[in-house]
Amino acid sequence: MRILRYVRIDPDTVRLDGVPVPVTGRGLELLSELYRNRVKDYPKFFKMDLLCKLGFIAAELLVGDEPDRFVPREDRAVLLVSRTGPLCDDRNYQKTIAEDAYFPSPALFVYTLANIVTGEIAIRNKYEGDTTAYGFPSFSAGMLVSVVKVAFTDRVTTSALCGWVEAPDSDHFEAILMLVDDTEGDGMEFNPENILKIKLNQR
Amino acid sequence: MNRKRVIATGCNIVSPLGFTAEENFQAALSGRSGVTTHTGTFGIPEPFGASLFDRSVISGPDGGSHCLFESILLLSIRDAVLRAGIDPASPRVAFVISSIKGNVEVMDADEAAVPVSVTAARIAAFFNNPNPPLVVSNACISGLTALIHAGRMLQGGRYDHIVVAGAEVQSRFIVSGFLSLKAVSPLPCKPFDAGRSGLNLGEAAATMVISAVDTCPDDAWELVDGTTRNDANHISGPSRTGEGSYKALRYVLASCRPEELAFVNVHGTSTLYNDEMESIALHRAGLSEVPVNALKGIFGHTMGAAGILESVVSMQAADAGVVLATKGFGQTGVSCPVNVCAGNRPACGRAFIKLLSGFGGCNAAMLFRKGGAQ
């Protein structure tokens, strides 16, 4: 399996295929800036919670210029791993159901489900294949590779947007998203060593 | 080398209706439901239908040191592991845990304990398992995606057994959320019925220990094939064409003939949109004639446990030669023809499909077959 493209985003830096992407804002503003510069025409972005914004923008950077994008396809999976999942939105929704101010927000509640980020990416790109949100006790490049390789035994899946999306609050988040496929050959092997290099901004 | 086969070797359900798979199956067989109308529970101002534990009777395996979510998971896993006769501390055993909201009821008191991955690590440590546990949180299909993924892990040969356990505990958080989406009925739900008006929530933990074998014994249930597919349509509404459910069904139908199927155990939440969507997906997959049932009228919607719980009950039903009734169903209220079982019926066939759908547009199907039947 090969890593075809990769991106890493944290509150201060963005690197696409190892090349720094210039940004001026930080945190949530950094994500909004990427939206304005790279997407522009998908206002649903502003309804999303932090985890979805992060995963969505990372996916946009990876596949935004892919040929035949938006043609429905079943062969591409979306496989995302997190530790705390939608904890940030859990906090926001919890505030709407306080004892003395009970006004539960359906718009916030929906995003408290860990897999909505995979659904948002699938909807945007018309990916009709496997979409799954996994949870790890902590980041592990080895376990990430194992999980994605297991998911690739699906008979239809030939490529995936996969990786780590962790966003406990707007000052602390990290996306390591990769476009991988099941071919062998030249390029970057999908293995723990390469994922760790991406994580450490060494690639 | 031949691909490993995957069979169920130990099952448990802990729900308000009982603490073993057998007790829960007997409840379903006799039509006994855990669903009642709750008024004021969790301090919620609207009434809602749900199957909830009596908090005073649940305690974990070593007394009071575990919260409800952990307690029911531990009780369920302990029983299933004993029945499977495996050593959960072996490095050849892994844990896969499914839940949607885990411990969210402790949000205000202990935010750090909320992520399901935190509970999963505590569960694996309780059983002295050396491998990091994997969590699957795929909305309402979590339990089935967990079984599908765990089955594929076994086929890879690295593990001999996987403990797949799912659980959901209801709370002010979850119930208020589903109420805000106008998805909950205060009265017992009526899957596929013309008068259906929403779902009931449910609490449960369910466990299936699955094991890798070279040949499937005659008396074992094999997890033959399964997949997860997305509608790519809407984050909280199902596809009008049943796209993801249809594609998931089509995938598993590559491994069986419809005539083999004793039944399809569907999601059947009793919301207007879900049941309608499933009827379209079943019709498109050529399954309009196959008996169909849903168990939400007995257990409520047990969310992260549902995929495992409903698969375990369905295995027992097929063993007993019965297609369980769809409690609450009377008159068909979906646009495509679908063979919904109103009462318990004799089952013909030694295979069944479990089908689920969830928010985020995800859908999953899994084919189960009694060993040696193909």
Side-chain angles (χ1 to χ4, degrees):
Chain A
M1 288 174 61
R2 290 184 305 165
I3 302 173
L4 304 178
R5 302 203 68 182
Y6 57 96
V7 63
R8 182 177 178 278
I9 304 176
D10 67 28
D12 297 296
T13 55
V14 184
R15 284 167 73 97
L16 179 60
D17 298 325
V19 179
V21 175
V23 281
T24 53
R26 77 173 305 275
L28 201 52
E29 177 49 34
L30 177 147
L31 299 179
S32 299
E33 187 181 336
L34 289 170
Y35 171 82
R36 286 192 301 271
N37 293 341
R38 300 263 178 167
V39 188
K40 297 185 182 79
D41 61 346
Y42 203 71
K44 245 172 75 180
F45 173 79
F46 294 103
K47 291 184 181 175
M48 296 178 191
D49 74 324
L50 178 67
L51 184 70
C52 284
K53 280 181 172 158
L54 179 62
F56 177 86
I57 283 293
E60 289 295 307
L61 291 175
L62 288 188
V63 300
D65 56 1
E66 195 175 36
D68 298 326
R69 197 184 172 203
F70 306 131
V71 177
R73 58 190 296 180
E74 195 179 342
D75 62 341
R76 175 162 297 166
V78 182
L79 310 165
L80 299 183
V81 183
S82 186
R83 189 184 84 80
T84 55
L87 186 64
C88 184
D89 190 56
D90 286 350
R91 235 177 259 134
N92 293 336
Y93 177 74
Q94 180 81 359
K95 287 179 196 143
T96 74
I97 57 168
E99 294 279 329
D100 51 353
Y102 179 84
F103 301 103
S105 159
L108 289 178
F109 178 70
V110 168
Y111 286 101
T112 69
L113 277 57
N115 67 320
I116 299 299
V117 56
T118 65
E120 289 284 17
I121 294 170
I123 291 165
R124 167 66 164 167
N125 296 289
K126 307 270 190 293
Y127 296 158
E128 297 178 339
D130 180 359
T131 57
T132 298
Y134 299 94
F136 290 177
S138 59
F139 177 83
S140 162
M143 195 165 161
L144 176 58
V145 169
S146 301
V147 165
V148 170
K149 285 190 170 175
V150 165
F152 261 75
T153 60
D154 187 292
R155 290 190 298 276
V156 178
T157 300
T158 59
S159 69
L161 284 178
C162 64
W164 174 255
V165 186
E166 175 70 4
D169 64 64
S170 57
D171 289 321
H172 304 86
F173 57 74
E174 181 182 39
I176 301 166
L177 198 67
M178 294 159 280
L179 175 61
V180 305
D181 76 2
D182 60 358
T183 59
E184 305 296 333
D186 292 343
M188 197 169 167
E189 195 187 335
F190 179 64
N191 63 27
E193 293 74 29
N194 282 330
I195 294 171
L196 272 179
K197 283 180 186 162
I198 296 170
K199 181 174 170 60
L200 297 171
N201 285 338
Q202 290 171 353
R203 288 207 61 139
Chain B
M1 193 180 78
N2 284 334
R3 200 178 73 158
K4 291 280 184 185
R5 315 280 288 268
V6 177
I7 60 170
T9 47
C11 297
N12 169 274
I13 296 169
V14 170
S15 88
L17 294 169
F19 283 71
T20 62
E22 289 76 10
E23 285 171 29
N24 280 281
F25 170 63
Q26 288 303 326
L29 189 63
S30 63
R32 192 159 62 88
S33 170
V35 174
T36 56
T37 300
H38 288 262
T39 308
T41 303
F42 307 129
I44 288 176
E46 300 156 81
F48 61 93
S51 171
L52 305 181
F53 285 111
D54 176 350
R55 263 66 179 159
S56 65
V57 302
I58 304 282
S59 69
D62 55 1
S65 67
H66 301 281
C67 63
L68 180 62
F69 179 63
E70 261 178 43
S71 295
I72 58 173
L73 265 174
L74 290 172
L75 289 170
S76 180
I77 292 170
R78 190 175 60 170
D79 180 55
V81 161
L82 279 172
R83 286 166 194 266
I86 64 161
D87 172 14
S90 162
R92 301 279 301 167
V93 172
F95 279 63
V96 176
I97 306 291
S98 67
S99 183
I100 303 180
K101 290 312 305 171
N103 239 338
V104 77
E105 65 174 347
V106 303
M107 188 77 203
D108 283 336
D110 187 7
E111 188 185 283
V114 169
V116 183
S117 58
V118 172
T119 305
R122 286 170 58 93
I123 300 278
F126 180 90
F127 290 99
N128 295 313
N129 185 270
N131 297 307
L134 178 65
V135 169
V136 173
S137 195
N138 241 7
C140 302
I141 72 166
S142 298
L144 210 47
T145 297
L147 284 173
I148 293 163
H149 190 88
R152 291 172 173 176
M153 284 168 74
L154 285 178
Q155 285 165 351
R158 181 167 160 190
Y159 301 102
D160 297 328
H161 312 281
I162 299 184
V163 178
V164 189
E168 211 71 51
V169 163
Q170 296 300 331
S171 59
R172 182 179 175 87
F173 189 104
I174 298 173
V175 177
S176 64
F178 277 96
L179 281 166
S180 77
L181 291 163
K182 312 286 180 212
V184 182
S185 171
L187 301 171
C189 68
K190 309 175 90 160
F192 288 86
D193 189 84
R196 70 187 182 277
S197 62
L199 57 77
N200 301 142
L201 292 161
E203 295 185 318
T207 305
M208 198 186 294
V209 177
I210 59 174
S211 304
V213 292
D214 292 318
T215 52
C216 180
D218 284 351
D219 62 348
W221 278 99
E222 182 176 4
L223 286 69
V224 181
D225 203 2
T227 199
T228 298
R229 286 292 179 266
N230 203 288
D231 295 329
N233 175 63
H234 194 276
I235 54 167
S236 58
S239 155
R240 287 179 192 279
T241 54
E243 206 58 42
S245 282
Y246 162 66
K247 286 193 165 72
L249 285 169
R250 190 180 60 181
Y251 186 96
V252 299
L253 284 170
S255 300
C256 80
R257 292 165 287 112
E259 313 84 84
E260 274 188 87
L261 295 171
F263 53 85
V264 179
N265 179 254
V266 295
H267 196 28
T269 58
S270 179
T271 64
L272 280 175
Y273 294 113
N274 175 81
D275 299 1
E276 172 68 14
M277 179 281 289
E278 284 192 296
S279 80
I280 294 167
L282 289 162
H283 183 67
R284 286 182 69 190
L287 298 173
S288 296
E289 308 282 319
V290 176
V292 159
N293 67 353
L295 298 170
K296 301 292 193 290
I298 301 289
F299 299 100
H301 187 347
T302 58
M303 298 174 52
I308 302 165
L309 183 152
E310 294 170 10
S311 295
V312 169
V313 172
S314 293
M315 290 186 326
Q316 294 174 96
D319 277 339
V322 58
V323 186
L324 288 169
T326 302
K327 191 176 176 70
F329 171 78
Q331 190 185 351
T332 304
V334 288
S335 61
C336 282
V338 56
N339 184 4
V340 181
C341 298
N344 291 340
R345 258 194 229 173
C348 305
R350 302 202 343 143
F352 69 89
I353 290 173
K354 173 75 206 116
L355 184 66
L356 286 178
S357 299
F359 283 176
C362 55
N363 306 266
M366 184 152 217
L367 172 69
F368 293 79
R369 185 189 277 127
K370 193 78 178 190
Q374 58 181 319

